[in-house]
Amino acid sequence: MGDALVSRLAPARSVALAALVESERGGAYVREVLDAMPRARKLDARDRGFAMRLALGVTATTGALDELLDAYLARPQKVSVRVRTALRIAAFELVYLGTAAEVAVSQGVELVRSQAKSAAGLANAVLRRVADAAAGYLAADGVDADRRPLVSMARRAGLPLWLGEALVRSLGAEGASQLAHAQLMAAPLAVQMNPRVHTVPAIGGDPCGLPGALAGVDGPRLVASGILDAADAVVSDLNAQLVATAATRPGTCLEIGAGRGTKTFMMAAQAARAGYARDHVALDLHERKCALNRERLELAAMERIETVAGDARDLDGVLAAIDGRASERILFDTVFVDAPCSGTGTMRRHPETPWRLSAREALWDLPELQLELLRQASGRVRPGGELIYATCSVLGAENDAAIDAFLAGPEGSRFCVRPVSDAAIFHEEGFQGAAALIRRWESERGLFQSVPAPQAYDGHFCARLVRI
C-alpha cells in the first residue's frame, strides 16, 4: 500500500519537469515558463508552490547536480534532455531538500519512466547511488584538505567553483559564506509606493526607515491587491531602493540603463517626497523596455520624464535630438549609470544566473563595458554634479575595481569619491533613517556594498562621484 502511494507520480514533479525542459530548450526563464503553464495553474496552492520550488532549485544548482549525476552515469553524453532533467529533479530533492531517499528515488524513477520507460532501471540505480553519496558530495569528501572548505561552500550553494572563488576574493570568507548559505532560500520582498497612495492595501510588510518602502511584503497578497497593475507601487529589493534614493537629486538627471523603469519610478517617487523639481531622461538600449517604462510612468502620473532608446557607449549620438532642441550639448546635474552586470547579488531571485554566467563575462567582459559606460557618462556631468554608478553585483571586478580603473584614467581625474550616505536627499526631513541603512553597508571610502544573507536583502553596489 505504502509502496503504491510512493510510486504514484506527484503532479507537481511532472509540471516542474515540463517547465524545466521548455526553459532549457527555449532559453526562457523557468519562473516565467511555469507561470504561463495552464497545467501549473490547475494545481492547488501547495502543489504549485512545490513545483516552483523544484523548478527554481534545479535551475540554480544545475551544474552541481550534473557533476554528481555524471559520476554514476556510464555514458552521460547519451542521456536525453528529458531524462537528465528528470534525474536532476530527484537529485535536487536528495541533495538539497533532504527528501526521504525512498520517496525521492521512487518518484525520480517514475518521472524518468514518464519520459522513457526503458530508462527506469538506469534511474533507479543512479539515484540510489546519488542518495548514498549526497552527504559526502556536499562535504567535499575526497577533495584536498586545503580546498575542501571552498569546494564544500560552492557545492552547498549549488554554485560553479569559479564563482565561489570569485565570491571569496570579493567578499572574504565570511561574506561569501553568508551569501552561499542564503543562495537557495527565498529572498524577502519589498515594494516602493507611489506617493499618490495614502492608504496602503493589506499586503503585509512594515515601514523600514526609507520613505515609501514596505519591507517583508506578502507576495500573494501583493499580487491580489492589484496595486502593481495600477502603478501604485513597484516591487524592488530594499537595497536597490536605497541606491535609487541616493541617486535622486534636484535638477536634471540622465539615467543610463533604465530598463523597464523600476528605478525611474522610485527616483520620481522620492523626488516628490523630498520636494525636488527634476527633469529626467531615462535611457535604455532597448526600445521595448523604454515603451514599458513610459506606460507605467503615464499610469503612475509621473511627469517630466523622457525615455530614449540607444547605446550608451555613444551618448553624443543617442542624445543628439535632446542636444538639438537645446541648441547645445547638455550637461546634467546627475548622471546615474545603472550598469549591466553579472547579477551575482540577486541570484536568489534569478536562478539562471550562476550557470549561464561565465567567468570571462563576469571578470573581464562586463568590467570592460562598465568602464566604457563610466567614461562616456562622465562627459555629461556638469561641474559640481554627481556621477552615480550602481550594479546588482557583489564581485569586486565590477564594483570597487571598476571605480578605481575609472578614477585612474583621464576622465576620472575630474571626479572624487564621496560617501553614498552623505547624498543630499539623506539630509532631507524623513530620510535620515535611510542614511543609517546605507551606513550599515558602507566602506571607509564611502562605497555601498550590500551582501545577501539569510533573511537579508540582495547584494547591490553604489558609488557616488562628484565632479570637481
Side-chain angles (χ1 to χ4, degrees), residues 405-429:
F406 170 70
L407 293 173
E411 298 88 353
S413 64
R414 299 175 295 173
F415 290 82
C416 57
V417 176
R418 293 289 183 263
V420 175
S421 63
D422 198 37
I425 197 167
F426 296 131
H427 296 277
E428 302 290 349
E429 183 178 356

Side-chain angles (χ1 to χ4, degrees), residues 67-74 122 125-127 129-130 132-134:
E67 180 182 40
L68 185 54
L69 287 166
D70 287 354
Y72 304 113
L73 288 166
L122 168 72
V126 168
L127 292 176
R129 298 187 72 178
V130 168
D132 292 338

Side-chain angles (χ1 to χ4, degrees), residues 77-101:
Q77 68 280 4
K78 297 294 185 180
V79 177
S80 71
V81 170
R82 289 183 174 275
V83 169
R84 178 173 287 277
T85 305
L87 290 171
R88 286 172 181 165
I89 290 173
F92 176 74
E93 291 197 64
L94 289 165
V95 177
Y96 293 105
L97 290 190
T99 303

Side-chain angles (χ1 to χ4, degrees), residues 23-390:
S23 173
E24 181 159 338
R25 287 183 169 173
Y29 294 120
V30 71
R31 186 191 300 272
E32 295 177 357
V33 170
L34 197 54
D35 284 343
M37 286 180 63
R39 287 175 61 194
R41 289 196 289 269
K42 292 179 181 178
L43 297 175
D44 62 30
R46 181 177 177 181
D47 280 348
R48 190 162 56 249
F50 185 43
M52 183 68 78
R53 182 74 182 93
L54 292 174
L56 296 180
V58 168
T59 300
T61 60
T62 292
L65 297 173
D66 283 348
E67 180 182 40
L68 185 54
L69 287 166
D70 287 354
Y72 304 113
L73 288 166
R75 294 186 294 174
Q77 68 280 4
K78 297 294 185 180
V79 177
S80 71
V81 170
R82 289 183 174 275
V83 169
R84 178 173 287 277
T85 305
L87 290 171
R88 286 172 181 165
I89 290 173
F92 176 74
E93 291 197 64
L94 289 165
V95 177
Y96 293 105
L97 290 190
T99 303
E102 62 270 21
V103 175
V105 172
S106 176
Q107 287 287 291
V109 169
E110 293 307 309
L111 203 55
V112 168
R113 193 193 309 277
S114 72
Q115 305 303 307
K117 291 182 180 180
S118 61
L122 168 72
N124 184 62
V126 168
L127 292 176
R128 289 188 181 281
R129 298 187 72 178
V130 168
D132 292 338
Y137 175 76
L138 292 179
D141 290 350
V143 176
D144 290 344
D146 60 336
R147 296 276 292 168
R148 194 172 300 145
L150 173 64
V151 174
S152 178
M153 181 198 75
R155 288 179 177 179
R156 290 179 187 278
L159 298 173
L161 184 57
W162 73 263
L163 184 51
E165 292 170 334
L167 292 172
V168 171
R169 288 196 303 270
S170 299
L171 303 175
E174 183 177 352
S177 178
Q178 285 290 314
L179 183 151
H181 188 53
Q183 174 60 18
L184 298 180
M185 298 180 179
L189 187 64
V191 299
Q192 172 66 212
M193 301 301 301
N194 190 323
R196 72 185 180 187
V197 176
H198 301 292
T199 302
V200 180
I203 58 173
D206 298 293
C208 55
L210 176 66
L214 288 176
V217 169
D218 180 85
R221 289 162 66 186
L222 172 64
V223 172
S225 73
I227 63 174
L228 300 180
D229 293 334
D232 285 340
V234 292
V235 174
S236 177
D237 180 81
L238 181 60
N239 290 324
Q241 293 191 43
L242 291 171
V243 170
T245 303
T248 304
R249 302 176 66 237
T252 56
C253 175
L254 171 63
E255 178 189 8
I256 295 172
R260 300 181 181 186
T262 298
K263 287 192 175 74
T264 312
F265 178 105
M266 294 192 293
M267 294 169 75
Q270 300 296 45
R273 293 187 179 97
Y276 291 164
R278 297 169 71 253
D279 289 293
H280 189 132
V281 176
L283 167 64
D284 192 80
L285 180 62
H286 304 287
E287 173 55 42
R288 175 58 180 158
K289 291 182 179 179
C290 289
L292 292 172
N293 193 358
R294 287 193 300 271
E295 290 172 10
R296 180 159 58 188
L297 291 170
E298 290 173 3
L299 192 59
M302 293 176 173
E303 301 176 342
R304 299 177 67 173
I305 302 171
E306 179 178 359
T307 60
V308 178
D311 191 334
R313 292 174 294 183
D314 177 24
L315 274 185
D316 286 346
V318 174
L319 299 176
I322 293 175
D323 291 342
R325 292 200 304 265
S327 300
E328 63 177 334
R329 187 173 181 274
I330 296 294
L331 300 181
F332 295 84
D333 295 295
T334 306
V335 177
F336 176 33
V337 179
D338 196 8
C341 69
S342 64
T344 47
T346 60
M347 293 186 292
R348 292 177 298 180
R349 302 182 196 274
H350 305 290
E352 288 81 7
T353 297
W355 295 99
R356 288 186 182 180
L357 185 69
S358 70
R360 177 176 180 82
E361 182 182 10
L363 304 178
W364 288 279
D365 295 346
L366 281 167
E368 286 182 4
L369 172 60
Q370 291 152 355
L371 180 57
E372 187 174 358
L373 292 175
L374 271 170
R375 287 170 172 165
Q376 280 280 317
S378 68
R380 287 288 177 158
V381 182
R382 69 161 180 81
E386 296 190 3
L387 174 60
I388 309 294
Y389 173 78

